Amino acid sequence: DITPLAALRVGFLTNALNAKCMLFFLSILSAFLAPSEPNIIIFIYGAIIFFTTVVWFCIVALCFSHEQLRQLFSNLHHWIERVTGGLLM
């Protein structure tokens, strides 16, 4: 078993060191921010992205730590993957 703090650390490092994730957020920021943008605006955008990402991963963690939701996902994962794949194509 892993402690909650260790799980948080591993999850944070996994996402923070993910090159695709960093490039995704950098591309979003570069699309919406001009080089002349004040530092406070850049900080606010960064804070919004950080907090929405934290909230999203907390929701995902809570959903998959709930036994009934995890079982439901396990039963429906093939349909979820098909629908998601179709939408992405």
Side-chain angles (χ1 to χ4, degrees), residues 5-85:
L5 184 60
L8 180 66
R9 184 175 56 246
V10 168
F12 175 78
L13 289 174
T14 299
N15 199 42
L17 298 175
N18 183 351
K20 290 185 288 185
C21 179
M22 286 188 280
L23 289 174
F24 173 75
F25 286 118
L26 284 174
S27 67
I28 288 176
L29 285 175
S30 66
F32 292 105
L33 295 176
S36 61
E37 208 66 57
N39 287 340
I40 188 69
I41 300 297
I42 295 171
F43 176 79
I44 290 171
Y45 277 133
I48 290 170
I49 290 172
F50 175 79
F51 286 115
T52 55
T53 303
V54 167
V55 168
W56 169 252
F57 282 117
C58 285
I59 291 169
V60 170
L62 287 173
C63 287
F64 283 102
S65 65
H66 191 272
E67 184 61 39
Q68 289 174 331
L69 289 175
R70 191 170 53 239
Q71 185 63 37
L72 178 65
F73 179 78
S74 178
N75 292 338
L76 296 176
H77 81 276
H78 61 282
W79 287 107
I80 294 170
E81 289 179 7
R82 288 178 183 172
V83 169
T84 305

